[in-house]
Amino acid sequence: MAGADLNILIVEDNPGDIVLIKNLLSDIGEKRFNLLIAHRISDALKMQKITRSDLILLDLGLPDESGLNTLRTLLTEIPDLPVVVLSGLHDEGLAMEALSIGAQDFLVKGSINGLLLTRSIFYAIKRKELEDQLTHIALHDALTGLPNRQNFFMQLGRSIENAKKSDTLLGLLLFDMNDFKAVNDSMGHQSGDELLVQVAKRLREAVPANNLLARLGGDEFAAILGGVKTRDDLKEEIRKIIRLLSGPYPIEQYLIDLPMSLGVSVYPEDGDTPQILLKKADRAMDLAKKDLQEQVVYYTQEMEHEERSRKLFRETIHRAILKDEVELFYQPKVNLRTGHVYGAEALVRWRSPDKGLLLPGEFLPWIQGTEVLNILGDWTIRKALWQMDQWRQQGLHLPVSVNIDVGHLKKASFFRELKESLDSCPHVPTGFLEIEILETTAMEEFLQIQGVLRKIHALGVRLSLDDFGTGYSSLSYLKNLPVDTLKIDQSFVIGLTKSLEDLAIVRSITSLARIFNRNIVAEGMEDWTLAPVLLELGCEQAQGYGIAKPMPAADLPRWIESWTQSHRDTE
C-alpha cells in the first residue's frame, strides 16, 4: 500500500479547512494521496460514479446535510468505503456516536498534524478491510463460500423490494439432496464435503448471474431468481438449473448419482415477506422429498388448505385425548411351547364420535413429529400402568409393552415424566413396563437417545426393538443399545412358509438373539400353523391374529382364562 496512490475524497464546504488539510499533508511531504474535493453530499455521490475513492474525509456540517445525518447518508449510499470524520467540535459523545454509526475515526480540526492525519487514513483503510473480512466470514459458508442462511434471509428481503419496484416475479428455490446421509455414512464426511463443494460449483454455473445463491445448512441450498416476467419464464429457468445439476458427481474413484428435490415459492402469488416465502418453499420441498417422482414441486394454495386441515385434525386429536375418546386395546403375547400368556402390547384406538373406532393408521400419520404425538405417548404410558394396576387388583399380573416414538424419547422432559408415571403406580413392578422403539429409526437418532435409554433401563423398564430386520444397523443396535427384546417384523413371519428368503432372515434373527442374549418375539403370526415352524427356528414367543386380535382391556382377563383352559384341554 505504501507505494500506491490513494484517492482521498474530502467532503468539505469550507475552503479554509480544505487548504488546512492540504497543508498538513504537504508539510510532511505526503505525496501518496490524490485529493478530490466535494462541497456537498450530493456532489460526493456523483463523483463516486466517475472516480472511485479509497477513503472519505468528512465534515459533518454541509449545505445539503448536517450533523450525524451526513455520515448516515454517506454510509447508506456508499457502505463499503471507510470514512474518517473531521469535526471542529471537541465532543466525546459526538465522537462515540459517529464511531458507533460506522465511521472509522473521529479527528478534531486544529488538534491534528500531518502525521496523525496520514496514520488515521491508513489505519482506517486497514480497519475497514478487516471489518469486511470478518463480515464476509460471518455471512458466508466456510465450506462452499456461498452466502449462509443469515445472509440469504437479509438479501431475500431486498430482492422482494426490488421485485415490488420493478413489478416482476421472484422465485425462491430450496434444494435438498436426496440420500446425502448415505454418502456421509458410507464414504465419510470428507467425501460428503467434497460433494457439497461440487454441488455449490454447479449451482453457480446453473443459476443466472445477478441472482443470489446460498447454503442454508447441511445439504440444503437456496436460490433467488429475480427479474422474471412470467411464471413460464421462471419454470424454464428452473428446468435449465435442474438439467445442469443432474448427472453423476465424481467423488474419489466413484460417480455419485444424487438427485435433488426442489421446492419453489413465487412472489407475489405465494407471499410478500421472506418468512412466508421461505415457509412455503420449504413446504413444497418436503412434498418433493416424499414423492421422489416429482423432482420439482411448486407451492400451491391446495397445500395451504391441506396444512390447515392437518392443523385442525391435530387439534381434534388433542381434544380427543383430553376427553378420553382414545383408549388402549391389548394384544396378548404367548409362549408357543407352553401356551402361557406372558404379556400384552398396548395399541391405541380412537373412538371418534363422528367416524367410530379408528385404527392407528387412520390418525397417527397426522400427528407424526408433533407435540400431540408426545402427549399421546405420555398418556399411553400412564394408561398402561394404570391398567396393569387394575388387573393386579383383580389377580392378573401381566406386563405390557407400549410404542414410543424416538422423537418423544429425545424430548428433554421424557425421563422425568416417565419416572413420575411409574411413581404414580408404586405397586406395578417397573419391569412390567416395556417400551418398544422402531428398528428403522436412523442410527444417528439412536445415538442421540443412548443416554436416556440407559437411564430408562436402569429404572428396570424393559426395552424392545420393533419391526426388527427392516432397519440397516441391526448389529450396531444390539452391540450398543440396552435392548431386552427383538420383535421380528411381521412381513418376514407371514412369508415364513412361502419364501426361502423370509425363512433365512428369521433364522438369522433368532441366531443373533441367542448370540446377544436377547428375547425374541414373532409379530404378525396370522396363522397358528406357523407355530411349529417358529419353534423349530428357536422362536418361542409370538403375537398376532392367529392367537388373538387386539381387544379392550375389560375383555382380556376373560380371553386369557378361555385361552388357558383350551390350551390345557389340548395337552
Side-chain angles (χ1 to χ4, degrees), residues 256-314:
I256 306 298
D257 191 2
L258 204 65
M260 282 196 173
S261 296
L262 172 59
V264 183
S265 62
V266 181
Y267 166 87
E269 299 171 23
D270 300 329
D272 58 1
T273 69
Q275 294 88 346
I276 292 174
L277 286 176
L278 197 61
K279 177 183 177 182
K280 293 183 175 180
D282 192 56
R283 172 73 178 136
M285 186 182 69
D286 282 344
L287 292 178
K289 288 165 67 175
K290 289 176 182 176
D291 183 4
L292 297 181
Q293 301 302 314
E294 293 291 337
Q295 193 172 5
V296 183
V297 172
Y298 292 82
Y299 180 83
T300 64
Q301 285 300 316
E302 286 72 21
M303 295 178 194
E304 187 79 22
H305 299 324
E306 182 183 341
E307 182 57 35
R308 194 176 296 116
S309 296
R310 284 180 173 273
K311 185 174 184 294
L312 290 172
F313 197 76
R314 288 195 294 267

Side-chain angles (χ1 to χ4, degrees), residues 142-409:
L143 179 64
T144 64
L146 292 176
N148 59 17
R149 177 180 286 273
Q150 179 186 354
N151 191 349
F152 183 80
F153 207 69
M154 292 189 301
Q155 297 281 7
L156 179 56
R158 298 191 189 107
S159 298
I160 291 171
E161 288 302 315
N162 292 337
K164 188 181 297 183
K165 291 176 184 176
S166 60
D167 194 25
T168 56
L169 300 181
L170 178 146
L172 172 56
L173 285 57
L174 293 185
F175 304 84
D176 191 276
M177 288 186 282
N178 301 330
D179 297 328
F180 173 73
K181 178 182 174 296
V183 176
N184 261 344
D185 290 348
S186 61
M187 300 181 67
H189 289 284
Q190 187 172 348
S191 294
D193 287 349
E194 172 59 26
L195 179 57
L196 292 170
V197 170
Q198 290 193 33
V199 169
K201 182 174 182 293
R202 287 200 195 181
L203 278 170
R204 287 191 183 96
E205 296 168 354
V207 175
N210 301 322
N211 288 286
L212 184 70
L213 278 172
R215 182 188 175 204
L216 302 187
D219 60 338
E220 189 175 343
F221 293 84
I224 299 171
L225 294 184
V228 183
K229 291 295 184 183
T230 69
R231 199 175 180 95
D232 286 340
D233 292 339
L234 177 63
K235 289 183 176 180
E236 181 56 33
E237 289 291 345
I238 290 173
R239 279 193 287 269
K240 293 176 184 176
I241 293 170
I242 291 297
R243 281 198 298 270
L244 288 168
L245 285 177
S246 300
Y249 292 80
I251 304 294
E252 298 178 3
Q253 71 268 36
Y254 303 102
L255 290 175
I256 306 298
D257 191 2
L258 204 65
M260 282 196 173
S261 296
L262 172 59
V264 183
S265 62
V266 181
Y267 166 87
E269 299 171 23
D270 300 329
D272 58 1
T273 69
Q275 294 88 346
I276 292 174
L277 286 176
L278 197 61
K279 177 183 177 182
K280 293 183 175 180
D282 192 56
R283 172 73 178 136
M285 186 182 69
D286 282 344
L287 292 178
K289 288 165 67 175
K290 289 176 182 176
D291 183 4
L292 297 181
Q293 301 302 314
E294 293 291 337
Q295 193 172 5
V296 183
V297 172
Y298 292 82
Y299 180 83
T300 64
Q301 285 300 316
E302 286 72 21
M303 295 178 194
E304 187 79 22
H305 299 324
E306 182 183 341
E307 182 57 35
R308 194 176 296 116
S309 296
R310 284 180 173 273
K311 185 174 184 294
L312 290 172
F313 197 76
R314 288 195 294 267
E315 291 172 355
T316 302
I317 296 173
H318 190 192
R319 286 195 298 271
I321 297 170
L322 298 177
K323 292 162 64 177
D324 281 335
E325 289 177 8
V326 292
E327 59 184 281
L328 294 181
F329 276 38
Y330 295 85
Q331 185 173 42
K333 304 175 187 178
V334 304
N335 184 298
L336 300 176
R337 193 175 301 281
T338 65
H340 174 62
V341 181
Y342 68 89
E345 179 179 359
L347 300 164
V348 67
R349 300 288 188 266
W350 178 16
R351 202 172 290 280
S352 168
D354 302 323
K355 300 178 181 179
L357 190 67
L358 299 180
L359 298 176
E362 297 175 88
F363 61 92
L364 287 186
W366 292 79
I367 61 174
Q368 197 68 39
T370 71
E371 180 60 22
V372 179
L373 185 62
N374 298 341
I375 292 169
L376 180 60
D378 289 332
W379 175 88
T380 301
I381 290 172
R382 290 195 301 271
K383 188 69 173 180
L385 286 166
W386 177 86
Q387 187 59 63
M388 282 188 277
D389 195 39
Q390 295 298 302
W391 283 333
R392 177 192 63 81
Q393 294 176 42
Q394 299 170 25
L396 176 62
H397 301 274
L398 192 70
V400 171
S401 62
V402 297
N403 296 278
I404 297 298
D405 183 74
V406 70
H408 190 186
L409 289 167

Side-chain angles (χ1 to χ4, degrees), residues 330-334 336 342-345 347 487-488 490 493-494 521-528 530 534 541-551 559 563:
Y330 295 85
Q331 185 173 42
K333 304 175 187 178
V334 304
L336 300 176
Y342 68 89
E345 179 179 359
L347 300 164
K487 299 189 75 175
I488 306 173
Q490 62 179 353
V493 177
I494 292 171
V521 180
E523 290 188 288
M525 199 187 87
E526 309 296 276
D527 189 336
W528 185 255
L530 293 174
L534 287 168
Q541 299 172 346
Q543 66 182 95
Y545 281 18
I547 299 168
K549 294 181 179 181
M551 63 192 76
W559 180 90
W563 168 270

